[in-house]
C-alpha cells in the first residue's frame, strides 16, 4: 500500500479550475451509465493516471462515496479522495464545531464554532477540486433507513462506537456496498474493511511458474490470469477474489492461525487489538465514548483488556501496564500526523478498491504511532476452507499469505 500523499503532489492546481460537476443521480451506481473521462481531466490527473491508469480514474470519477463523521481523520480521507478526483462525496455529521475541533482539523476555523461540522467543512473542501460534487447531511446517520446506502458506491464510517458501526455495516451488506470503519486515538488508530466479495487485479512480471487458478487462503482465490506486453516485458494480470466478514463477526473472531503458531509470533502481536476490543466492550457496557481517569473506569477497562487478551490466546506479559496507561491517556485526542497517515492509507485503499487494482486491506489494520508500526490482521470466524485448498489443518485459516498475515506492512 503506497502513501497517497506522494501520488497526489502537484494536484493543488485543481483549486483554480471550474466545473459544472456531476449530479447525485448521475453518480448513483444503480441508475447511471459510466461517465467517460474528458481530455482536460486526463491532463489534470496525468500524474496519478500514470500510476493506476485511465480506466481506474474513470471508475473513480463515477464513484459516489458516503463519508460519515467530519473530524480530523475524516478531514484527511476527504482531502485525499477529493484531490484524487472522486465523482461525488456526501459528508454526514450531526455535531456542531467546537473549540476542540480546531486543533487537528483544517477545513474549519474559529468562525465556524457553533455551526454544523459537515456544512462548515464543505466550502474549503470544494476549493480543493471544484469538479467534485459535494453534499452535506446534518442529521444523524442512524436515522437513515437501510435503503439509504444503496445510492452510494462505498461507505466510510469514522469515530463511531461498535454498535453504530455494526448497524451501518449490516445496512451496507443489505445493499451490497463496501464498508470501511476507522478511528484514531491520539498515537493509535485502526482501519477496518468489509468489502463483502471483492475482485481485483494484480499486475506483475510474468514468471516461469504457471499461475494456478485455485484458493490461496481461506478468503482469497485466483480466478483468472492473462498476459500483456508492456515496454518489451511480458506482464501477467492475475485476477483474484477476496471474501470478507462483518465487523461484529471480526470483533469476536480469533487471530489468524499464523500468528498463534508459535510463542515468538504471539509475542509480536500488538496489544492494541486487545485494547480496541476492550474499548468497544466498555462503550457497550457504560454507554459513554471513553473511560474517564477515575479508579473505577481504569479498573473496568483493565479487566476488559485482560479478558480480551486472554481470549486472543496472547501471552499476559505483552499487555503491559505502560501500554494500557498510554492507550487510555490517548483516548479522545486527535494528532494530525496520525490522522494524515491513516487517512492516506484508507483513501488509497478506497482508490484501489474502486479501480479494482491491488490487494485491499484484509481486514483490520492497527496503527501504533509510538512504535511506528501498522500490522494487518485477517479476522474471520473459523470456517471450512475454500474448495480445492490444501494444507490448512482443521479448517482454520491459512491467512499467513501476503498482507492478510499479521506481519507489519507499513511503517512511517
Amino acid at each position: 500500500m503506497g502513501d497517497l500523499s506522494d501520488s497526489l503532489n502537484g494536484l493543488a492546481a485543481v483549486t483554480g479550475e471550474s466545473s459544472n460537476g456531476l449530479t447525485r443521480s448521475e453518480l448513483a451506481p444503480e441508475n447511471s451509465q459510466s461517465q467517460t473521462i474528458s481530455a482536460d481531466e486526463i491532463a489534470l490527473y496525468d500524474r496519478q493516471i500514470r500510476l493506476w491508469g485511465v480506466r481506474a480514474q474513470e471508475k473513480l470519477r463515477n464513484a459516489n462515496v458516503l463519508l460519515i463523521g467530519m473530524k480530523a481523520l475524516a478531514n484527511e480521507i476527504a482531502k485525499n479522495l477529493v484531490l484524487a478526483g472522486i465523482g461525488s462525496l456526501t459528508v454526514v455529521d450531526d455535531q456542531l464545531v467546537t473549540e476542540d475541533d480546531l486543533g487537528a482539523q483544517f477545513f474549519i476555523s474559529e468562525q465556524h464554532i457553533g455551526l454544523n461540522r459537515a456544512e462548515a467543512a464543505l466550502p474549503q473542501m470544494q476549493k480543493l477540486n471544484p469538479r467534485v460534487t459535494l453534499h452535506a447531511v446534518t442529521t444523524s446517520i442512524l436515522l437513515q433507513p437501510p435503503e439509504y446506502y444503496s445510492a452510494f458506491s462505498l461507505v466510510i464510517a469514522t469515530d463511531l462506537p461498535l454498535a453504530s458501526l455494526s448497524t451501518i455495516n449490516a445496512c451496507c451488506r443489505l445493499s451490497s456496498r463496501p464498508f470501511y470503519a476507522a478511528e484514531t486515538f491520539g498515537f493509535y488508530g485502526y482501519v477496518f474493511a468489509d468489502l463483502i466479495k471483492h475482485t481485483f487485479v494484480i499486475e506483475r512480471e510474468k514468471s516461469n511458474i504457471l499461475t494456478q487458478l485455485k484458493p490461496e487462503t481461506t478468503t482469497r482465490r485466483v480466478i483468472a490470469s492473462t498476459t500483456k506486453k508492456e515496454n518489451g516485458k511480458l506482464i501477467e494480470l492475475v485476477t483474484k477474489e477476496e471474501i470478507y466478514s462483518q465487523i461484529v463477526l471480526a470483533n469476536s473472531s480469533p487471530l489468524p492461525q499464523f500468528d498463534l503458531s508459535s510463542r515468538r509470533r504471539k509475542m509480536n502481536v500488538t496489544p492494541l487489538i486487545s485494547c480496541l476490543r476492550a474499548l468497544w466492550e466498555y462503550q457497550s457496557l457504560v454507554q459513554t465514548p471513553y473511560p474517564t481517569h477515575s479508579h473505577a473506569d481504569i479498573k473496568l477497562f483493565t479487566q476488559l483488556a485482560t479478558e480480551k487478551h486472554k481470549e486472543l490466546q496472547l501471552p499476559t506479559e505483552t499487555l503491559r501496564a505502560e501500554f494500557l496507561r498510554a492507550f487510555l491517556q490517548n483516548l479522545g485526542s486527535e494528532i494530525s500526523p496520525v490522522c494524515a497517515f491513516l487517512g492516506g492509507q484508507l483513501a488509497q485503499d478506497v482508490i484501489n478498491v474502486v479501480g479494482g487494482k491491488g490487494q485491499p486491506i484484509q481486514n483490520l489494520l492497527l496503527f501504533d504511532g509510538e512504535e511506528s508500526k501498522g500490522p494487518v490482521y485477517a479476522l474471520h470466524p473459523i470456517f471450512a476452507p475454500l474448495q480445492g485448498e490444501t494444507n490448512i489443518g482443521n479448517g482454520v485459516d491459512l491467512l499467513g499469505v501476503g498482507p492478510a498475515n499479521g506481519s507489519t506492512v507499513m511503517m512511517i
Side-chain angles (χ1 to χ4, degrees):
M1 284 179 282
D3 192 334
L4 189 64
S5 60
D6 289 338
S7 60
L8 293 177
N9 287 339
L11 286 182
V14 301
T15 58
E17 296 289 331
S18 62
S19 172
N20 293 327
L22 298 176
T23 66
R24 184 169 185 151
S25 61
E26 286 176 315
L27 289 161
E30 70 276 20
N31 296 324
S32 65
Q33 297 294 325
S34 178
Q35 303 291 317
T36 303
I37 192 168
S38 62
D40 61 330
E41 285 176 301
I42 292 176
L44 177 63
Y45 301 123
D46 174 73
R47 184 175 180 182
Q48 61 198 48
I49 287 174
R50 293 173 186 270
L51 291 174
W52 53 64
V54 174
R55 288 187 180 181
Q57 187 66 38
E58 287 179 345
K59 292 179 180 179
L60 190 65
R61 181 192 189 277
N62 290 293
N64 184 11
V65 173
L66 176 64
L67 177 59
I68 301 167
M70 190 35 64
K71 297 183 71 175
L73 177 59
N75 276 212
E76 294 288 349
I77 297 168
K79 176 197 72 176
N80 289 327
L81 292 179
V82 168
L83 285 175
I86 199 78
S88 176
L89 181 67
T90 298
V91 180
V92 180
D93 197 319
D94 63 340
Q95 299 298 305
L96 303 181
V97 177
T98 66
E99 190 172 349
D100 290 342
D101 291 322
L102 305 180
Q105 299 179 41
F106 45 79
F107 287 136
I108 57 174
S109 58
E110 288 185 7
Q111 66 183 10
H112 296 114
I113 293 177
L115 302 179
N116 176 267
R117 273 202 300 239
E119 290 183 327
L122 244 60
Q124 292 301 316
M125 200 184 303
Q126 191 72 76
K127 290 181 180 178
L128 294 177
N129 192 344
R131 295 176 180 272
V132 175
T133 301
L134 299 176
H135 303 280
V137 178
T138 61
T139 55
S140 171
I141 189 63
L142 298 178
L143 298 177
Q144 301 295 346
E147 58 268 21
Y148 175 78
Y149 299 89
S150 63
F152 302 96
S153 310
L154 183 144
V155 176
I156 306 168
T158 64
D159 302 300
L160 290 174
L162 179 63
S164 299
L165 295 174
S166 299
T167 298
I168 298 168
N169 193 179
C171 292
C172 289
R173 284 218 157 212
L174 289 173
S175 299
S176 299
R177 296 294 182 259
F179 168 80
Y180 284 89
E183 187 171 1
T184 62
F185 318 102
F187 279 103
Y188 308 101
Y190 77 90
V191 174
F192 172 82
D194 176 16
L195 309 181
I196 308 175
K197 182 183 289 186
H198 178 63
T199 301
F200 59 96
V201 177
I202 299 291
E203 293 191 20
R204 62 193 184 194
E205 191 170 345
K206 178 68 175 175
S207 71
N208 294 327
I209 301 174
L210 180 66
T211 298
Q212 298 184 27
L213 307 186
K214 67 175 186 178
E216 293 182 323
T217 72
T218 53
T219 63
R220 184 172 64 244
R221 69 169 75 231
V222 178
I223 60 176
S225 175
T226 60
T227 58
K228 67 176 182 179
K229 283 192 175 182
E230 187 176 274
N231 299 324
K233 294 182 179 180
L234 188 61
I235 303 298
E236 183 179 27
L237 291 82
V238 181
T239 304
K240 300 183 180 184
E241 181 184 83
E242 188 95 55
I243 59 173
Y244 285 77
S245 297
Q246 293 174 255
I247 193 168
V248 67
L249 295 177
N251 184 49
S252 58
S253 295
L255 284 165
Q257 191 63 31
F258 176 87
D259 296 290
L260 300 176
S261 58
S262 69
R263 178 172 174 79
R264 178 181 63 82
R265 287 172 177 164
K266 289 182 180 180
M267 294 291 291
N268 286 332
V269 174
T270 174
L272 182 56
I273 187 171
S274 303
C275 288
L276 178 60
R277 289 187 172 187
L279 177 62
W280 283 342
E281 182 72 13
Y282 175 90
Q283 291 171 339
S284 175
L285 292 172
V286 185
Q287 298 296 307
T288 57
Y290 305 120
T292 66
H293 295 303
S294 69
H295 176 74
D297 277 8
I298 292 175
K299 181 180 179 180
L300 175 58
F301 181 83
T302 302
Q303 178 184 341
L304 292 173
T306 303
E307 290 174 357
K308 300 300 180 183
H309 207 67
K310 185 177 180 180
E311 288 175 5
L312 289 164
Q313 303 178 50
L314 297 175
T316 56
E317 58 266 37
T318 61
L319 186 65
R320 305 184 312 277
E322 294 81 4
F323 188 89
L324 286 169
R325 186 180 303 111
F327 182 80
L328 287 168
Q329 289 174 344
N330 275 269
L331 291 176
S333 63
E334 297 179 310
I335 298 178
S336 295
V338 175
C339 294
F341 178 77
L342 269 184
Q345 290 296 327
L346 195 159
Q348 183 64 69
D349 208 65
V350 168
I351 291 169
N352 290 343
V353 166
V354 171
K357 291 191 174 183
Q359 170 72 47
I361 294 172
Q362 173 63 283
N363 55 357
L364 180 67
L365 183 158
L366 295 171
F367 180 67
D368 182 346
E370 299 276 9
E371 298 289 335
S372 296
K373 293 180 179 179
V376 177
Y377 299 98
L379 304 176
H380 301 277
I382 297 175
F383 50 82
L386 295 170
Q387 187 175 3
E389 189 172 6
T390 57
N391 299 324
I392 64 158
N394 297 321
V396 292
D397 54 8
L398 239 193
L399 298 172
V401 180
N405 183 346
S407 59
T408 299
V409 296
M410 295 170 294
M411 296 188 69
I412 59 171

